[in-house]
Amino acid sequence: MASYTANDIRVGWVISHNGKRYSVTSIMKVKPGKGGAFVQCDLRDVDAGTKSGERFRSEDKVEKLMVEDVKCQFMYNDGADCFFMNLSDYEQFAMPTESLGESVKFLQPEMEVMASFISGAPVSVSLPKTIIATIEETEPALKGQTVSGSGGKPAILDNGIRVQVPVFIEQGERIVVNTESLEYVERAK
């Protein structure tokens, strides 16, 4: 096992906490105005399948479990399960949709992901750092608004995720989104 600070935790990691194995399904880093920073994690017990939330101080140590990471391709989602294919041996496997957390919204057919296996069983999936999505709905830019004069505007992507985008982004445009922070990166080329 390797030891990391809580700030290093990433979605898809499998960690050891309180004697149990957990898959990290989502993270949120918080810096309150008063007190120290912390990392809020949604965890899924690998063995029992139960979900829980845990708050770590940013300087807390966590143990990342050694897992076998395998490059896989997302095939489809039938509502209850997500189906993947191992790209090295073409074996197919399924994971419960609920075990993937918010990541399931970013999955696109034929997307390559890294699946983590423990003892031959899949326990988590790590998405690419960025994906390309289309703006489904956003407010039109107002005349006179400038890029530097505004913090952005809300937008809903074609996968249902809400993000803040710059004011010059219009409905129907394709953008690059960071899958961990849910932030706009740039226009898609």
Side-chain angles (χ1 to χ4, degrees):
M1 287 191 291
S3 185
Y4 294 89
T5 64
N7 272 341
D8 295 327
I9 295 175
R10 298 286 178 257
V11 173
W13 278 19
V14 179
I15 63 172
S16 176
H17 180 63
N18 293 336
K20 294 185 179 181
R21 301 181 305 177
Y22 293 97
S23 171
V24 179
T25 57
S26 74
I27 59 171
M28 181 172 59
K29 296 180 180 181
V30 179
K31 175 66 175 115
K34 189 174 183 183
F38 62 90
V39 178
Q40 180 69 38
C41 296
D42 288 338
L43 305 173
R44 184 183 66 84
D45 188 314
V46 170
D47 301 311
T50 57
K51 293 190 279 185
S52 64
E54 188 68 39
R55 182 178 289 186
F56 298 99
R57 293 184 320 222
S58 58
E59 65 273 3
D60 285 349
K61 295 287 186 191
V62 294
E63 297 293 323
K64 180 181 178 193
L65 295 176
M66 291 299 141
V67 295
E68 179 187 0
D69 288 329
V70 178
K71 188 179 269 192
C72 297
Q73 185 179 63
F74 173 67
M75 295 169 56
Y76 65 95
N77 177 354
D78 70 359
D81 293 315
C82 289
F83 293 84
F84 299 87
M85 178 177 60
N86 182 331
L87 291 177
S88 61
D89 62 9
Y90 304 107
E91 289 290 319
Q92 296 179 15
F93 63 93
M95 290 187 68
T97 301
E98 67 179 26
S99 71
L100 299 174
E102 289 293 307
S103 299
V104 76
K105 292 181 179 177
F106 285 111
L107 290 173
Q108 300 167 346
E110 300 182 12
M111 174 184 276
E112 288 189 10
V113 298
M114 290 301 286
S116 298
F117 288 78
I118 294 179
S119 303
V123 293
S124 71
V125 171
S126 298
L127 297 175
K129 182 96 171 139
T130 60
I131 62 133
I132 295 175
T134 304
I135 301 291
E136 238 355 82
E137 184 180 318
T138 190
E139 302 167 358
L142 299 174
K143 191 171 185 173
Q145 271 185 322
T146 62
V147 174
S148 61
S150 173
K153 61 183 181 179
I156 299 173
L157 303 177
D158 55 356
N159 56 14
I161 300 284
R162 293 180 161 277
V163 296
Q164 285 291 116
V165 296
V167 294
F168 57 84
I169 298 294
E170 298 294 331
Q171 184 172 332
E173 283 192 63
R174 292 168 37 91
I175 62 169
V176 177
V177 179
N178 182 312
T179 57
E180 291 180 2
S181 63
L182 303 180
E183 293 176 344
Y184 166 87
V185 176
E186 64 185 357
R187 281 183 167 147
K189 294 177 174 55

